[in-house]
Amino acid sequence: MIRDVVVIGGGPAGLAAAIEAKKNGAEDVLIIERDKRLGGILQQCIHNGFGLHIFKEQLTGPEYANRFIDEVKNYKIDYMLDTMVIKIDKDRNIIALTPNDGIINIKSKAIVLTMGCRERTRGALNIPGNRPSGIFTAGAAQRFINMEGYMVGKKVVVLGSGDIGLIMARRMTLEGAEVKMVLELMPYSTGLKRNIAQCLHDFDIPLYFNHTVVRIHGRKRLEGVTIAEVDSERKPIKETERFVECDTLLLSVGLIPENELTREANIPIDNITSGPIVDESMQTMVEGIFACGNVVHVHDLVDYVTFESRIAGRSAAKFVKGQLSFNDKSFKTKGTYGIRYVVPHRIDPLNVDDSVNFFMRVDNVYKNVYLTVKNNGQIITKVRKAIVTPGEMESVVVKRSILEKLNKGDIEFTLEEIKND
Amino acid sequence: MIKKIICINCPLGCEMEVLKDDGIIKVSGNTCKKGEDYAIAEIMDPKRIVTTTAKVIGGDREVVPVKTDKEISKSFMFDVVAEVNRHIFSAPLYVGQVLIENIFDTGVNVIATDFINRK
């Protein structure tokens, strides 16, 4: 079968991209999802606070997902569940594994990659010790508790102050567990402030910065962890080691975009984001293959995933209709002085509708700075920021009219100190 | 009485100090009006949307996610979860379906936030 647009992944990015592709004239849109339902990780994020930007109200994860699932059904967009894509290639051929038909081949005019991301596990951290039960990534525990109905433990230590860890600290407390502490390797939190306030402060759960787990104890079930303070080079300080009794360790130590398919198809990847390099249309460097959401870079708000995915879906439809222009009048974006990365990585002003929303993350906490956009040493735009932190994604909007006037050089994003007058 | 509160209204996360004395409330450390309002609400009667799960029988899932349809006093958080845990609901369930009406006479309902199909 030949499809117009195939979307790989049925989470928030995939749903928004598929709807937008269909709305913009792609006839035959197909979503391929490996889970039993659409919705992706939002299904297990039963807490409140999604959708403030998109719907101007606070929804839970499943509610947010269901708004899009309803729209997918209204637009009669095709979807396959329990189906896993195992290979794609540059010519947009897809091989997928299905429960009933075995391996199937699908040819598509455009692909949108929306596989999301995966949590870093204990293996990625190299914490020494045995391998008892009771060690989970925060997201795995979230799925057990919120979707499967199993409680995973009673005495809990959370390693990492990522949002999922903070939210699980609250969730487990509400279900009767004792969450002893949250440990953060860095001197600042990697989670959103509002989650620290409403997940930890509400329940008097202590958060220790510059701390980590150095040893795992227990053979069958986790019996405790040895924690330690770390020095400025993040090396554990031996004298500060202490034992904390617990039966559960939740890891919330970062997310990595899930790009196995992307790599196998030889689509160029950005080493910092671990996601594909994309342009203003969310097109990867392989023609007709687009990407959006957490597979490109890890977002902290699903609303931003939706915004980005709408661009990808719209662009995929344009591509299918032959309306996406190629004139190679492309500018690269570059983050310097405090900016770790910028997405999109390349901009062709002629493909920009009205403006481009550049997303970026900073490498440290900075107060009172200008986030400045420059080209050829000239300032294009600058935004004043009272505070920027690695835990919160920053964004800057640049209008097409400005981008059109650029003639050479990279578009540079930097942080500049605000000098007192 | 002085209480420290981190504002949750925006990424700034202002660290505010709230002084309550004989019914007079003074907020400092906030950079906008929203912060002041939040701080006062947090001192007078802090409220939260409570989300949890409830047991389901005959469904394609063992549990259904639920939430309070309005904010409820923070002091009720654990009671809401305990009350929800006392119930078992039968599939099918739909998004927005009222599962527990007027919980603890607060005028707040507990509603389903996802659909559950029959097994």
Side-chain angles (χ1 to χ4, degrees), chain A residues 337-356:
Chain A
Y337 302 111
I339 308 282
R340 286 190 62 225
Y341 73 80
V342 183
V343 169
H345 306 81
R346 298 156 68 87
I347 299 295
D348 176 350
L350 297 176
N351 273 333
V352 174
D353 283 337
D354 177 43
S355 59
V356 178

Side-chain angles (χ1 to χ4, degrees), chain B residues 67-112:
Chain B
K67 73 170 184 184
T68 54
D69 64 353
K70 288 191 270 300
E71 291 190 318
I72 190 166
S73 285
K74 195 172 137 183
S75 56
F76 277 123
M77 276 192 296
F78 284 95
D79 299 323
V80 169
V81 175
E83 179 61 23
V84 168
N85 283 343
R86 271 195 282 277
H87 288 71
I88 298 178
F89 301 96
S90 304
L93 300 166
Y94 60 87
V95 182
Q97 185 173 344
V98 176
L99 299 180
I100 303 172
E101 215 172 319
N102 191 18
I103 193 165
F104 309 129
D105 277 325
T106 52
V108 175
N109 302 318
V110 174
I111 62 170

Side-chain angles (χ1 to χ4, degrees), chain A residues 94-111:
Chain A
I94 298 162
I95 302 173
L97 214 49
T98 70
N100 295 327
D101 304 322
I103 289 177
I104 56 165
N105 290 285
I106 303 168
K107 172 103 187 110
S108 71
K109 295 178 189 163
I111 293 179

